[in-house]
Amino acid sequence: MSILTRFKDIMASNIHSLLDKAENPEKMIDQYLRNLNRDLGKVKSETASVMAEERRTKRELDECRQDIQKMENYAIKALEAGNEGDARKFLERKNQLTAKETQLQQMYDIAANNASQMRQMHDKLVSDIAELESKRKMLKAKWAVAKTKERMNKIGDSTEDAKSSLSAFNRMEDKINTALDQAYAMAELNAEPKDDVEDLMSKYDSNPSSSSVDAELEALKARLDKKD
């Protein structure tokens, strides 16, 4: 039974190991398969040993039963020959063999039960390996898709960060434009007030160039009047 317990622990430890290291399922799938195949070799060896023990105890049990039947046959022959003493000896040996048969039957029952459990464990392990082998490509493909999605999510986070930075930049630009408008407005407010009277006075100041033109224009008019 210690053999069965040991291999149950081996199989359980593999499962727990896979769960504990699930941060990299792709690598753990390969490692789990390597562990299972290694354990399968051990299970096969132990299963063969247990099955051999089963066959040995079965052979001894069968031989004992044959000997019991043989002693009974000889006892019958001895009685038929009138040799009761010989018949008694044969029956005594038969009784001894019958007691041995009981022990051998118990040994065989234990060996057969062990062999049955080992075969079940062997078959289960073979089935697990075959199932995991068939799923390996699918699981790796799913893992690749998951990693791609994870990278896309990270890119999406970066895009959101970029949007946030751009929004902050736009807000800063608005603040700068507002500050510039305020600065221009303050400059206008701080400028000296314009004197409207001075502008009005300049309107009526004589323009030397304009007066010269007027005088020349009057002279031309006078000359024309004389010709007439």
Side-chain angles (χ1 to χ4, degrees):
M1 294 303 293
S2 60
I3 295 173
L4 301 177
T5 301
R6 183 167 72 252
F7 283 107
K8 286 178 181 177
D9 292 341
I10 289 174
M11 294 175 68
S13 67
N14 286 333
I15 295 172
H16 294 156
S17 177
L18 181 64
L19 295 176
D20 292 340
K21 299 178 181 179
E23 68 277 2
N24 195 334
E26 186 175 7
K27 290 184 179 179
M28 286 313 303
I29 289 171
D30 292 337
Q31 183 60 48
Y32 189 42
L33 276 170
R34 285 193 292 270
N35 292 345
L36 286 176
N37 280 298
R38 181 193 63 211
D39 295 340
L40 179 59
K42 296 178 182 178
V43 170
K44 281 184 176 181
S45 176
E46 293 291 350
T47 300
S49 176
V50 172
M51 291 177 67
E53 178 66 14
E54 177 193 18
R55 285 193 294 270
R56 185 188 67 80
T57 55
K58 182 64 168 61
R59 183 174 59 254
E60 288 185 1
L61 179 60
D62 290 342
E63 290 175 354
C64 182
R65 286 172 176 171
Q66 291 174 1
D67 289 341
I68 290 173
Q69 186 61 48
K70 185 186 297 184
M71 292 301 102
E72 183 176 336
N73 292 338
Y74 276 111
I76 293 172
K77 290 180 180 181
L79 286 175
E80 290 176 345
N83 297 321
E84 185 175 335
D86 292 343
R88 182 182 297 276
K89 290 181 180 179
F90 289 131
L91 291 176
E92 288 175 353
R93 176 61 60 85
K94 176 187 175 183
N95 289 338
Q96 293 175 359
L97 291 172
T98 300
K100 181 180 179 181
E101 178 192 19
T102 301
Q103 295 178 352
L104 290 174
Q105 181 66 56
Q106 293 175 350
M107 293 173 59
Y108 170 73
D109 290 341
I110 294 174
N113 183 62
N114 285 345
S116 176
Q117 291 189 50
M118 286 299 296
R119 283 194 296 268
Q120 290 177 8
M121 182 175 296
H122 171 271
D123 294 344
K124 178 64 166 61
L125 193 53
V126 170
S127 176
D128 288 343
I129 292 174
E131 182 179 1
L132 192 55
E133 285 282 5
S134 66
K135 289 183 177 180
R136 174 161 55 175
K137 290 184 179 180
M138 180 187 65
L139 292 174
K140 286 190 174 184
K142 285 184 176 181
W143 176 245
V145 171
K147 296 300 289 182
T148 300
K149 183 62 177 177
E150 182 180 356
R151 289 196 299 272
M152 290 175 64
N153 291 338
K154 289 181 179 179
I155 292 174
D157 293 339
S158 299
T159 302
E160 290 299 322
D161 292 341
K163 289 180 179 178
S164 178
S165 298
L166 182 59
S167 178
F169 182 85
N170 291 334
R171 290 195 300 271
M172 186 61 64
E173 183 180 16
D174 291 341
K175 289 183 178 181
I176 292 173
N177 289 334
T178 300
L180 184 60
D181 292 339
Q182 291 176 350
Y184 277 122
M186 186 61 69
E188 291 180 4
L189 292 174
N190 291 334
E192 294 183 2
K194 192 173 183 181
D195 192 346
D196 294 338
V197 175
E198 288 186 359
D199 291 341
L200 187 60
M201 289 171 60
S202 65
K203 178 181 179 181
Y204 294 98
D205 286 342
S206 60
N207 189 334
S209 59
S210 177
S211 299
S212 174
V213 171
D214 291 341
E216 187 175 358
L217 180 61
E218 291 299 327
L220 287 175
K221 288 180 179 181
R223 287 170 56 185
L224 291 174
D225 290 340
K226 288 180 181 180
K227 288 182 180 181
D228 293 337

